[in-house]
Amino acid sequence: MWGIGFGGPQKANLNGNSADGKESWVLPAGANFHLRAFGVSGVATLQKNGDDWVLLGTHATNRAAAQSRYNGIYSCPAIIDADGDGYDDVVIYCTKDPVASPSEPEDYHFTGDLVLFRNLGGSPRQFLELFSLDEGGSKVIWENDSFSWDLKSADFNGDGKLEIGTAICRREPFWGNMEGFYQVYYAPVDWE
């Protein structure tokens, strides 16, 4: 569809009112095909508007620069209100071009960034989309690593606040032995 690949949806409070029962859907959206008419890699939203559903992608003012930055996504969306404004924000693992290992140039591995996309629904903006790769709409929270598909928001440490959890599925270094191949990390995420 429009040169975009979608991942599994998650419910999210996109309109800032968690009591109105009008939760919408966020989907990871990877612009990993040569036809990129829909948008750039990041977050897609599916929202009810009257009797219809509206599907929007991730905005980027300079689409060419954004498409050269990330070539796809590889995670489920993690939902968290990182800036505390009542609108759900989303963390997605956005992938970059593959990198060759120094010892074996024919052996490639994929890296990317965990990107926090701020829901701009409560902010004035010049575009329809709720999420943007630029315009103050995103922030890299962990860069240049190989993450698993599983990305979650939960209260991992029992402090009553949500954290983001993920797994690293790489060797240390990437071309090394299998010891420590799979490690789980979690951390608080704030917009500031």
Side-chain angles (χ1 to χ4, degrees):
M1 171 183 215
W2 305 304
I4 200 95
F6 296 105
Q10 297 279 345
K11 280 188 181 179
N13 173 19
L14 299 180
N15 68 0
N17 185 352
S18 60
D20 69 356
K22 294 184 178 179
E23 283 73 24
S24 301
W25 297 95
V26 295
L27 304 90
N32 52 3
F33 303 102
H34 68 284
L35 300 172
R36 294 182 169 116
F38 181 73
V40 298
S41 292
V43 181
T45 60
L46 185 60
Q47 304 168 74
K48 189 83 168 166
N49 185 6
D51 291 334
D52 296 325
W53 287 90
V54 177
L55 180 65
L56 296 171
T58 297
H59 172 78
T61 302
N62 184 339
R63 286 181 47 165
Q67 290 165 349
S68 66
R69 185 172 166 193
Y70 297 119
N71 64 11
I73 52 90
Y74 186 76
S75 76
C76 53
I79 312 301
I80 189 169
D81 184 5
D83 58 2
D85 66 355
Y87 292 80
D88 280 342
D89 307 311
V90 180
V91 177
I92 295 282
Y93 172 36
C94 295
T95 58
K96 298 178 179 180
D97 288 331
V99 178
S101 71
S103 61
E104 299 178 40
E106 68 280 351
D107 184 18
Y108 285 87
H109 68 277
F110 290 89
T111 65
D113 301 336
L114 284 184
V115 181
L116 170 61
F117 287 92
R118 184 172 167 244
N119 184 336
L120 300 172
S123 305
R125 59 195 187 283
Q126 300 297 314
F127 46 89
L128 293 175
E129 295 87 353
L130 296 180
F131 297 98
S132 175
L133 191 57
D134 49 25
E135 304 289 334
S138 68
K139 172 182 165 182
V140 174
I141 57 176
W142 190 332
E143 63 183 335
N144 292 327
D145 218 330
S146 298
F147 302 95
S148 71
W149 175 263
D150 199 21
L151 185 61
K152 299 280 187 215
S153 59
D155 183 4
F156 289 100
N157 61 5
D159 67 354
K161 299 175 185 173
L162 291 179
E163 293 88 28
I164 297 294
T166 188
I168 302 291
C169 50
R170 59 160 160 78
R171 302 174 183 120
E172 290 272 2
F174 184 83
W175 49 91
N177 63 32
M178 294 298 285
E179 185 176 329
F181 181 68
Y182 185 84
Q183 300 176 28
V184 176
Y185 298 88
Y186 70 87
V189 173
D190 292 316
W191 180 251
E192 298 303 320

